[in-house]
Amino acid sequence: MNNKKSLESKTTRVIRRIARISGLILILLTLSFAIVYIFFPEQHNPNAEPEPTQIANIVAGVLILVGLGLAWKWELIGALISLAGFIGVGILNPDVMTKPMMYLFPLTAILFLICWRLSKLHSSKEENVD
């Protein structure tokens, strides 16, 4: 009986590993910035009321991170959620799109989508052989 590792191609495993490592790094890096922002409020105005666009940006950012986290288990759903969050950030705050680091988020989600597609192609190929 074959296990899942032997059914997947080496390319799929490498792409999945790259996607997971980059996703983990992005999640940890973003959370570290958020923690500093929360625990050291002297860097910003803590008494100001958040604007609706700020709240929407936070929600979109959380979608990106949650999507990358979910993609570890469910690649398609997690990648789509992450891409939806990225599109939301791009619509709400187009100035952020000028920063090249922002494109690591959708790139990682696209790698998860590629893994999902390659896994589906390989599993359908295995079913046709049996």
Side-chain angles (χ1 to χ4, degrees):
M1 181 177 267
N2 292 335
N3 61 15
K4 187 175 179 182
K5 290 256 186 203
S6 65
L7 293 177
E8 293 180 351
S9 70
K10 184 176 181 177
T11 304
T12 305
R13 288 192 307 251
V14 168
I15 293 172
R16 183 172 288 121
R17 185 170 292 145
I18 292 169
R20 285 181 173 178
I21 290 170
S22 63
L24 181 64
I25 290 170
L26 289 171
I27 290 170
L28 292 176
L29 186 64
T30 304
L31 287 178
S32 68
F33 282 117
I35 289 169
V36 168
Y37 187 77
I38 290 168
F39 289 115
F40 297 105
E42 62 271 0
Q43 300 297 325
H44 58 88
N45 188 359
N47 297 328
E49 287 291 320
E51 297 176 15
T53 55
Q54 289 175 326
I55 294 170
N57 269 326
I58 291 170
V59 169
V62 168
L63 277 177
I64 293 172
L65 297 179
V66 167
L68 289 178
L70 287 175
W72 277 63
K73 178 75 175 163
W74 302 287
E75 292 169 342
L76 176 64
I77 294 170
L80 292 178
I81 290 171
S82 183
L83 287 174
F86 180 76
I87 291 169
V89 168
I91 291 170
L92 295 168
N93 194 358
D95 294 336
V96 173
M97 296 300 131
T98 60
K99 296 170 179 46
M101 285 291 290
M102 277 301 290
Y103 293 100
L104 292 176
F105 292 98
L107 178 65
T108 303
I110 290 168
L111 287 175
F112 278 117
L113 284 176
I114 291 169
C115 290
W116 171 80
R117 184 65 181 148
L118 289 174
S119 295
K120 292 298 172 194
L121 286 175
H122 194 73
S123 66
S124 67
K125 197 183 299 182
E126 288 290 324
E127 289 173 3
N128 291 338
V129 171
D130 292 341

